[in-house]
Amino acid sequence: MTKQIDLKSTLLYGISMAILLFLLKWLELRFVVFDHLFEVYAAIISVIFMVLGAWLMHNFQQRKLEKENAKQEIVAVPELGLSQREMEVLVFMSQGFTNQQIADKLFLSIHTIKTHGSNLFVKLDVKNRTQALVRAKELEILE
Amino acid sequence: MTKQIDLKSTLLYGISMAILLFLLKWLELRFVVFDHLFEVYAAIISVIFMVLGAWLMHNFQQRKLEKENAKQEIVAVPELGLSQREMEVLVFMSQGFTNQQIADKLFLSIHTIKTHGSNLFVKLDVKNRTQALVRAKELEILE
DNA sequence: CGTAATTTCATACTAAAGTATGAGTGCCGA
DNA sequence: TCGGCACTCATACTTTAGTATGAAATTACG
């Protein structure tokens, strides 16, 4: 399915049609005065509001992008307060082990590993283990 | 990034425009009968074309964004049979993004990302994304 | 031109991850 | 001694990840 659509040509097409309609009516007006004014207005309104809509969406997207970019600020944390166990869990995570595998290696319950994991993510300000690994390398507490 | 004119979508938009023109004509006929409702029709047309414009701009921005994301020049790894898309997904995974986030960035369904992920894991002989990252670095196809 | 590989999307499911909350234990320093 | 901290475990829950399977469109290639 072609979800990606040739929009440039389409936009061009739409505008062209509107302008063409406008021109036709404008020419027609020279002979038939004030008879079909509605179509003229409709064409004008169409063009104006299509452009307006495009402009509004453009601004909306722009703001959305700025917000996303602002999200990437790297927070400098000198003391993360990572405990011994949390560091161990983090290291095992970085080696690709699942929570269950880590639990087996440390002779702990998987619940405990999850708890350490959650606390870890809070301290690193991330949402999941892969993000935690990225952040840990940024902060140079791994590798 | 097909620079060829998408015949199918162009036709689709042509039909859409035809329908809109028909609508305009119909509105004109109604205008003859109820000439006091001009403002209502103008409002309807305004909304329709504003939405159309917003929608067109939205899609246009999407294509632009996708092109920007593709700027990283990610190359497929034939030795492992990794395709272009699989490499892209792998890179995004290595940056800590969730499947949903990757789907948003590539303007794909999350199902597609999962499919690429699964195929990726088979080719890398791993079970999950963290293991995939470890393996990818071992094979020096990342960083 | 036809065939294989790629890409996309979907449903339906299972597995794993992650959150929220509470609670018991032991250790250490004020 | 006592409060705080680290560690442990648990239940219950939501979310995300991953698998299996099928299908369809596109692309690449001989």
Side-chain angles (χ1 to χ4, degrees):
Chain A
M1 184 181 8
T2 58
K3 196 176 180 181
Q4 298 154 10
I5 296 153
D6 196 334
L7 291 155
K8 205 177 287 182
S9 59
T10 305
L11 190 62
L12 224 59
Y13 181 74
I15 294 175
S16 300
M17 287 301 289
I19 292 176
L20 187 62
L21 180 62
F22 173 75
L23 285 178
L24 283 176
K25 280 303 155 187
W26 180 73
L27 287 173
E28 190 183 342
L29 274 179
R30 305 189 122 186
F31 306 98
V32 187
V33 189
F34 304 136
D35 196 14
H36 296 84
L37 259 181
F38 179 81
E39 279 189 341
V40 180
Y41 285 131
I44 294 174
I45 291 172
S46 299
V47 172
I48 290 176
F49 276 86
M50 190 166 66
V51 171
L52 176 62
W55 182 73
L56 287 176
M57 181 56 76
H58 177 265
N59 284 22
F60 175 74
Q61 303 265 30
Q62 208 72 18
R63 254 179 284 128
K64 201 169 137 199
L65 264 184
E66 285 173 11
K67 206 178 287 180
E68 268 187 24
N69 287 337
K71 226 189 294 181
Q72 298 193 351
E73 55 180 272
I74 298 175
V75 184
V77 183
E79 291 291 338
L80 284 166
L82 293 192
S83 71
Q84 182 64 33
R85 276 305 203 201
E86 285 163 356
M87 267 305 295
E88 294 182 58
V89 172
L90 178 60
V91 169
F92 279 123
M93 280 182 174
S94 74
Q95 294 169 354
F97 295 108
T98 66
N99 287 336
Q100 186 60 62
Q101 288 172 324
I102 299 174
D104 293 341
K105 284 179 180 294
L106 296 178
F107 301 104
L108 297 177
S109 162
I110 189 177
H111 306 296
T112 306
I113 306 301
K114 285 187 176 183
T115 301
H116 287 322
S118 277
N119 297 333
L120 200 50
F121 299 156
V122 171
K123 291 180 181 177
L124 289 178
D125 190 29
V126 294
K127 285 292 184 183
N128 55 55
R129 64 214 291 123
T130 23
Q131 279 179 20
L133 302 189
V134 173
R135 174 55 56 88
K137 280 167 190 170
E138 283 176 4
L139 299 174
E140 294 179 349
I141 58 182
L142 273 183
E143 240 105 323
Chain B
M1 272 161 276
T2 54
K3 284 191 175 175
Q4 306 169 345
I5 295 176
D6 192 335
L7 189 62
K8 200 180 292 181
S9 57
T10 305
L11 269 177
L12 185 66
Y13 283 103
I15 293 173
S16 301
M17 288 307 296
I19 292 175
L20 283 172
L21 289 176
F22 175 78
L23 184 63
L24 287 178
K25 206 67 183 172
W26 179 77
L27 286 171
E28 183 192 6
L29 289 179
R30 307 295 294 182
F31 174 65
V32 174
V33 184
F34 310 104
D35 59 357
H36 55 288
L37 288 181
F38 174 80
E39 286 80 3
V40 177
Y41 298 136
I44 292 174
I45 293 175
S46 300
V47 171
I48 290 176
F49 276 86
M50 192 166 63
V51 170
L52 176 64
W55 182 68
L56 288 174
M57 180 56 77
H58 177 255
N59 287 26
F60 176 74
Q61 300 269 29
Q62 278 196 349
R63 303 190 81 213
K64 197 171 140 199
L65 262 184
E66 185 177 9
K67 213 176 282 182
E68 274 186 17
N69 284 338
K71 234 192 290 182
Q72 301 177 350
E73 207 161 322
I74 296 164
V75 186
V77 183
E79 308 89 57
L80 289 168
L82 293 192
S83 71
Q84 179 70 29
R85 274 304 203 203
E86 285 163 356
M87 264 307 292
E88 294 182 54
V89 171
L90 179 61
V91 168
F92 279 123
M93 280 182 175
S94 75
Q95 294 171 353
F97 295 108
T98 66
N99 287 335
Q100 186 59 63
Q101 288 173 325
I102 299 173
D104 292 341
K105 284 180 180 294
L106 296 177
F107 303 103
L108 298 177
S109 161
I110 188 176
H111 306 296
T112 306
I113 305 301
K114 285 186 176 184
T115 300
H116 288 321
S118 277
N119 297 333
L120 199 51
F121 299 156
V122 171
K123 291 180 181 177
L124 289 178
D125 191 28
V126 293
K127 285 291 183 184
N128 54 54
R129 63 216 288 123
T130 26
Q131 281 178 19
L133 301 189
V134 173
R135 187 104 186 86
K137 279 167 192 170
E138 284 176 4
L139 299 173
E140 294 179 348
I141 58 181
L142 275 183
E143 241 131 316

